[in-house]
Amino acid sequence: TAVMSDESAPGVGVPPTEEEGLLGQTSEVPVVPEEPPRRQIVLPEELPAGAQPLFLSSVTQKLFKLEADVDVTEEYPDKKISKKVILDDIFNRAAVSDFQPLKKQIEHYSAEDVLLVYDIDFKFGQNFVICLSKSAMESILAVPAEEEIVEIGESMVVLDYIHGTFMMVIQL
């Protein structure tokens, strides 16, 4: 009988493709459909309860279409990802999933989508912030960019967000 060496066995010694993942399992990572661009947000001075810093490796960023300065930018740093997709990643990539340390919190999170915000300046020590409560998501999305202009009829209202306080300037 012929004996196959390990190196000639199908799939042995061949690294898995990106689609197969690190454990050699084939898995697709569906992502929540692209949202239309909206106004710019900024991270608050302190994170609300339910939000925490999270490091996402370049592999994870590519899998979830969260590549820094490509998919998420300083201008539009936020993206919602399906909770199911994140849990699938934890199951498929196990210990190498960047979301693994938050598995229990993600499982108990009641919403369908999880908000991830690119922290370009590492303000909170990591490259992303993850929101694992609805109130944290609402709080972060409510923080406006430094200036927002709202037109009302022929007059214009300029809202400035300075150190947590709205300053309103009405221009006629």
Side-chain angles (χ1 to χ4, degrees), residues 32-52:
V32 175
E34 294 290 324
E35 295 179 25
R38 58 177 195 272
R39 66 181 177 83
Q40 179 183 2
I41 65 165
V42 292
L43 287 170
E45 290 302 314
E46 292 183 25
L47 289 178
Q52 66 184 75

Side-chain angles (χ1 to χ4, degrees), residues 62-89:
K62 285 180 185 177
L63 284 172
F64 286 89
K65 295 188 171 132
L66 285 166
E67 283 187 88
D69 301 319
V70 176
D71 302 306
V72 287
T73 62
E74 184 173 9
E75 185 177 15
Y76 296 105
D78 60 307
K79 193 163 191 176
K80 291 180 183 175
I81 305 292
S82 164
K83 172 182 161 179
K84 181 189 179 319
V85 171
I86 293 172
L87 291 172
D88 287 346
D89 179 68

Side-chain angles (χ1 to χ4, degrees), residues 54-56 60-61 63-64 66 81-82 85-87 89-90 93-106 114-116 128 130 132:
L54 175 68
F55 178 79
L56 295 181
T60 299
Q61 289 178 35
L63 284 172
F64 286 89
L66 285 166
I81 305 292
S82 164
V85 171
I86 293 172
L87 291 172
D89 179 68
I90 293 169
R93 294 197 306 147
V96 297
S97 171
D98 292 334
F99 298 102
Q100 179 64 36
L102 301 172
K103 180 181 178 184
K104 292 215 182 293
Q105 291 166 282
I106 294 168
V114 174
L115 179 68
L116 288 148
F128 281 85
I130 186 169
L132 294 172

